Amino acid sequence: MNAFIGWLNRHVVPVAAKIGSIRWLVALRDAFIAIMPAMMAGAVSTVLNVLIRDIPTQFKWMGIVDSMQWLIGINAMVWTGTLAILGLLFAFTFGYQLAVQYQVEPVTGGIVVLGTFIMSLPQNFMLPLKGTLSKGAAKLITDAGGVVDGKNVSMWGFFNFGKFFGSYGFFTVMIMGALAMTLYIWLMKKNVTIRMPEAVPPAIAKAFTGIIPATAALYLAGVVNYLFSLNKTTVIEFIATIVQEPLLNMSQGFWAVLLMTLLVQIFWFFGLHGTNVLGPVLDSIWLTAQIANMNAFMKGEALPFVWTRNAFDLYAWIGGAGSTLLLLIAILMFSKRDDQRTVAKLSIAPGCFNVNEPVMFGLPIVLDPIYFIPFILAPVVMVSIAYGAHMLGWVSPVKNQIVWSMPPFVNSIIATMDWRAPILQAVNMVIGFLIYVPFVKAANKLDPELTVPEPPMKKAKTVADDRNGDRNLEGDAI
């Protein structure tokens, strides 16, 4: 065991630490965090419509539905300004956070990526014709600026709001936004800018500073999009087909889910924030799937994905990474060691809200060979059971966003709107608890002086950590 841990410490931990400090990945993580308020507002509108529209309709309580039409309409407006346009919001926050990481003008960076994203969208409305239009109908369309070519009716200047403005555009933002921002940041660092006199107000000076780099970056994006238009396609459709859809499909496989769970646990064991290190992957892929589910649910459509970002939190990381809430319960029930019982008593309340630093670094679990096996094994077994239940259709997939600090059972019922989800959570909690119990009993036989590990390796610190205090909205505990 010690040899294996030593190998991981030599070969895996340095790589993880480097990944966690890459500024582009930190910016990506922070960009997703920045759109969390909009996601939560959209989630509230979705839950409210379930309570006042979907459930009453299911039971034929149409009086409630009719009387609450005003609130249903407001919820629809909130959804339109949040979940439906997350791609737009993410475009701005990604550009902004990239600029923050490289210490250049951030608002202009957000505008550059937002403009780049808009360029990448199809701008033509096209409707295939099943028959022949009358001359009057054809004239009406052409007078409005449309084109009738015998097979289709098309018009420039229309964006497919429902398809492209949501999570469908995330990967386009990441790829095209990164391309444009590379040039913007490089020109800013080379001082290819317009410098204003010191007497000019700072807001105006900053805007002028970004004119040349932003213009060059937007023209670069324009050239790329123009080249794609020559082939009768768009960047967003190309990226969705070549990159996004294959990754999302791959993410629904068992081995992808298992590997992500395993890596988060390993990184955490060595004192690295696993969900922060792998946050760009978790959010880019599984959060994209979750938002697609949320939008489909709001529109009454079938959910496109089975496994999403919050599914990890609900079923594999109960009480934080490693499902340490279950370890705390096992310690309180079976441990005879005063040191561990004291830590458990202090950690149980935060653990109920998915904050597990007290137990991770206070027990500690980090670098403790006694708890290495259950800390890895419990989430792996739990995520396997939950994945199987989802694939068999025993539990509905996540269809709503939840706050990371929401306690067990409450989070699962809100995230899935399915009464079976808390039951699956309870089953996983029992299994995780039983996995931890033998190791808690084994720890009773060891001298505490001999089981205290060396001081844990300091977590990789990033530019964003200085600003966020080593905590993001996903929580240090997950």
Side-chain angles (χ1 to χ4, degrees):
M1 176 63 70
N2 289 335
F4 178 64
I5 293 176
W7 181 86
L8 290 174
N9 206 5
R10 290 191 303 273
H11 299 286
V12 176
V13 173
V15 174
K18 290 180 180 178
I19 292 174
S21 61
I22 295 175
R23 286 188 282 187
W24 286 77
L25 296 182
V26 173
L28 183 60
R29 183 198 69 193
D30 290 350
F32 278 114
I33 294 170
I35 63 173
M36 191 64 65
M39 292 176 61
M40 294 310 303
V44 170
S45 70
T46 302
V47 172
L48 286 177
N49 270 0
V50 168
L51 297 176
I52 64 177
R53 182 192 64 191
D54 299 344
I55 294 177
T57 299
Q58 184 178 359
F59 289 98
K60 310 298 183 184
W61 299 336
M62 302 311 297
I64 296 176
V65 177
D66 293 339
S67 65
M68 299 302 292
Q69 282 300 314
W70 62 275
L71 183 53
I72 293 172
I74 293 174
N75 290 335
M77 293 297 178
V78 173
W79 172 81
T80 301
T82 55
L83 294 178
I85 60 166
L86 281 182
L88 285 175
L89 302 179
F90 175 64
F92 181 83
T93 60
F94 183 51
Y96 185 96
Q97 295 296 343
L98 266 177
V100 167
Q101 290 297 316
Y102 285 89
Q103 299 179 347
V104 297
E105 168 52 31
V107 174
T108 305
I111 293 172
V112 165
V113 179
L114 179 59
T116 298
F117 175 65
I118 294 294
M119 290 184 206
S120 304
L121 304 178
Q123 301 174 34
N124 290 311
F125 167 80
M126 182 171 291
L127 181 66
L129 292 175
K130 294 184 179 180
T132 303
L133 288 177
S134 65
K135 292 183 178 180
K139 185 177 184 304
L140 184 65
I141 292 172
T142 54
D143 288 346
V147 176
V148 180
D149 62 5
K151 295 182 180 180
N152 302 289
V153 174
S154 61
M155 186 176 293
W156 182 87
F158 287 84
F159 295 105
N160 190 330
F161 179 90
K163 181 176 182 180
F164 297 119
F165 280 13
S167 61
Y168 190 91
F170 280 180
F171 278 79
T172 299
V173 170
M174 295 177 212
I175 296 173
M176 287 299 296
L179 176 65
M181 283 299 292
T182 297
L183 181 57
Y184 170 77
I185 293 169
W186 185 79
L187 291 174
M188 290 288 285
K189 291 294 187 181
K190 293 295 182 180
N191 291 319
V192 185
T193 61
I194 299 175
R195 294 292 180 181
M196 302 297 289
E198 292 184 2
V200 175
I204 298 176
K206 288 180 180 179
F208 273 85
T209 299
I211 287 177
I212 294 176
T215 300
L218 289 168
Y219 262 89
L220 174 62
V223 169
V224 173
N225 280 280
Y226 177 74
L227 293 175
F228 273 86
S229 70
L230 297 178
N231 291 323
K232 306 299 181 182
T233 187
T234 59
V235 171
I236 190 170
E237 291 171 312
F238 176 81
I239 291 176
T241 302
I242 301 300
V243 179
Q244 180 164 320
E245 291 175 5
L247 282 176
L248 288 175
N249 291 333
M250 184 176 65
S251 75
Q252 300 303 293
F254 172 70
W255 295 112
V257 172
L258 189 66
L259 177 62
M260 183 55 57
T261 306
L262 183 63
L263 289 176
V264 167
Q265 297 307 121
I266 291 175
F267 290 169
W268 254 119
F269 179 77
F270 287 97
L272 298 172
H273 196 306
T275 40
N276 269 3
V277 173
L278 297 172
V281 179
L282 282 164
D283 292 341
S284 301
I285 299 176
W286 282 282
L287 183 59
T288 300
Q290 181 164 308
I291 294 170
N293 275 10
M294 294 164 67
N295 285 329
F297 179 66
M298 188 67 178
K299 293 185 287 188
E301 300 172 354
L303 303 184
F305 299 102
V306 173
W307 196 265
T308 65
R309 173 64 183 87
N310 279 147
F312 290 100
D313 304 327
L314 297 179
Y315 306 113
W317 301 327
I318 299 173
S323 290
T324 50
L325 178 61
L326 312 179
L327 170 61
L328 296 175
I329 296 173
I331 289 174
L332 292 176
M333 292 180 63
F334 296 103
S335 179
K336 298 178 182 179
R337 288 176 49 172
D338 291 337
D339 60 326
Q340 294 197 355
R341 291 183 62 83
T342 299
V343 172
K345 290 175 182 178
L346 294 173
S347 305
I348 192 71
C352 290
F353 296 93
N354 301 314
V355 177
N356 72 345
E357 282 87 354
V359 64
M360 290 297 300
F361 298 100
L363 195 62
I365 294 175
V366 171
L367 295 179
D368 187 343
I370 297 298
Y371 290 119
F372 175 76
I373 292 177
F375 185 73
I376 300 293
L377 182 61
V380 165
V381 172
M382 293 162 67
V383 81
S384 301
I385 293 171
Y387 181 88
H390 279 73
M391 289 301 170
L392 292 172
W394 292 351
V395 177
S396 296
V398 171
K399 57 178 70 74
N400 200 22
Q401 183 73 27
I402 57 172
V403 180
W404 67 268
S405 57
M406 197 172 289
F409 304 125
V410 176
N411 57 11
S412 60
I413 193 68
I414 292 177
T416 65
M417 307 304 296
D418 184 355
W419 60 270
R420 298 170 295 182
I423 296 176
L424 176 58
Q425 248 188 338
V427 170
N428 268 5
M429 290 178 72
V430 171
I431 292 173
F433 169 79
L434 293 176
I435 291 175
Y436 272 116
V437 166
F439 295 90
V440 171
K441 291 183 176 181
N444 289 334
K445 303 176 182 179
L446 298 176
D447 184 348
E449 296 295 330
L450 299 178
T451 58
V452 176
E454 294 296 322
M457 176 180 177
K458 186 176 182 181
K459 292 190 290 183
K461 198 169 184 65
T462 66
V463 175
D465 290 332
D466 291 328
R467 187 175 65 260
N468 295 333
D470 286 337
R471 176 172 294 278
N472 60 45
L473 290 181
E474 287 297 323
D476 281 344
I478 301 176

